[in-house]
Amino acid sequence: MSVQENQQKSSVGIPPLFQCPISLEIMSDPVTLCTGITYDRASIKKWFRAGNNICPASGQTLHTRELIPNHTLAALIKKWRLKNPSDPTAQNNQNLQHMIEQIDKGGAVKIEALRNLKNFARVESNRSNLQSEGVLPALIRVMQVFDPVHPVEHETEAVQEAISAIVLFSVDEDIFSRDLLSGRAIRTVEWVLAKGDLESRINAATLVEKLAKGDETGAMEIGSMEGITDGLLTLLEQNNNTHYSGLRALVPLCQVVAYRVKLAETFGVIPLLTRLLGASERGVIESSMAILEALSTVCQGRWGIIDYALAVPTIVRILLVVSRVATDHGIGILLNICKNCSKEDEIRDVGKTGVLEKLVALLHMDCEPRTKKRANFLIKILSPLQNYDSRTQFVIHL
């Protein structure tokens, strides 16, 4: 059924202005598109995830998917709900408000309220409602009042519950991100990464990933904190259940050049990432390769990879074996090393790993054009320093 047909079936009693044009339900978190039409955040995001790039109501092509919170409409809906207790969501919202009020209290009441809110937020359809009721600022307040220097038992449990709830939400609003990056809140994340229980440390790593992804300023702020990096590396060193969360957080942090230098100079990082290339999970290998490629763009990283004897052979072994993504990262690492290295002996050592045979095979395979282009470039660097036959030279010029 089309949106236009749905609009003709407006629910009785609810002002049409308050209804989402997609779901016809009263909006919990109204956001406005560039077309000027307002939708419930959960509904329009679901629409986008389905691959649509038009405004559902108007049919106009969207030049941006930016969602602008409609605070005025949200306030009107809230007032209407208070005056209409028969609204099926009114009682639910009152319960939510009660739980949010309990978050600002102390002791066991606070912990219980945080757990209830976390469980409620596990259902996607509930999250927009929670956001409209102001749960995110309340959760951030828990992190801001925490004292990492003199932690109190109930408060340590509270901040871990708060972080496990926050990671269920999308960190896509500037205000939300700024509040989380404020001194007290991000210091709390740093403390949890160092001293929280395992589940909370994984959640804290996920929060770091969300804050750093797509936001270089946020990545710079987070990357400047020693405890964040130390906590993420500790997760990498533990077991297979924690590898991926730590790696996924490091990938967006590496968008900052200064952070690549810092990470490359951290003792034991290259050997640790190399060991993770032997993991069984494809995601762990791809993320490790992505970080190594980022490190190979700075001289500290290139020398670290060259100096660790197992690094290059392990990277070459991964090529054509794990995935196209891992292969592309691997070729990028080797290319960064070879084109920036002034010593022929070291370039020749790369060629002795058997990489040329894999590169030639890759040119005959179905893969991304960028990968083939980089492979071809790498062959041109390596082949003059190897005793390679004329067939390879012919392939180079294809």
Side-chain angles (χ1 to χ4, degrees), residues 267-326:
F267 178 76
V269 165
I270 302 297
L272 174 57
L273 292 169
T274 303
R275 287 199 301 274
L276 290 177
L277 294 181
S280 57
E281 303 91 343
R282 189 178 76 175
V284 170
I285 297 171
E286 290 177 348
S287 295
S288 300
M289 291 285 258
I291 296 168
L292 284 168
E293 182 176 5
L295 298 185
S296 72
T297 63
V298 297
C299 61
Q300 294 87 343
R302 290 192 292 274
W303 286 118
I305 294 169
I306 291 171
D307 288 344
Y308 185 59
L310 294 178
V312 171
T314 304
I315 291 165
V316 171
R317 179 176 56 79
I318 296 296
L319 300 182
L320 308 183
V321 174
V322 176
S323 68
R324 292 184 179 187
V325 172

Side-chain angles (χ1 to χ4, degrees), residues 66 69 71 136-137 140-141 143-144 166 170-187 189 207 210-212 215 217-219 221-222 225:
E66 182 182 7
H71 298 299
L136 292 177
I140 293 172
R141 283 198 299 274
M143 298 169 65
Q144 290 172 332
I166 285 175
S170 173
V171 185
D172 57 2
E173 290 188 32
D174 290 341
I175 296 174
F176 184 28
S177 296
R178 283 201 302 272
D179 288 344
L180 282 169
L181 288 168
S182 67
R184 275 292 186 95
I186 197 63
R187 289 294 175 192
V189 175
L207 185 55
K210 289 187 173 188
L211 289 170
D215 183 357
T217 302
E221 290 184 42
I222 297 169
M225 303 173 67

Side-chain angles (χ1 to χ4, degrees), residues 14 21 133 144 150 152 166 270 318 345:
I14 300 176
E133 293 300 317
Q144 290 172 332
H150 304 99
V152 180
I166 285 175
I270 302 297
I318 296 296
D345 286 346

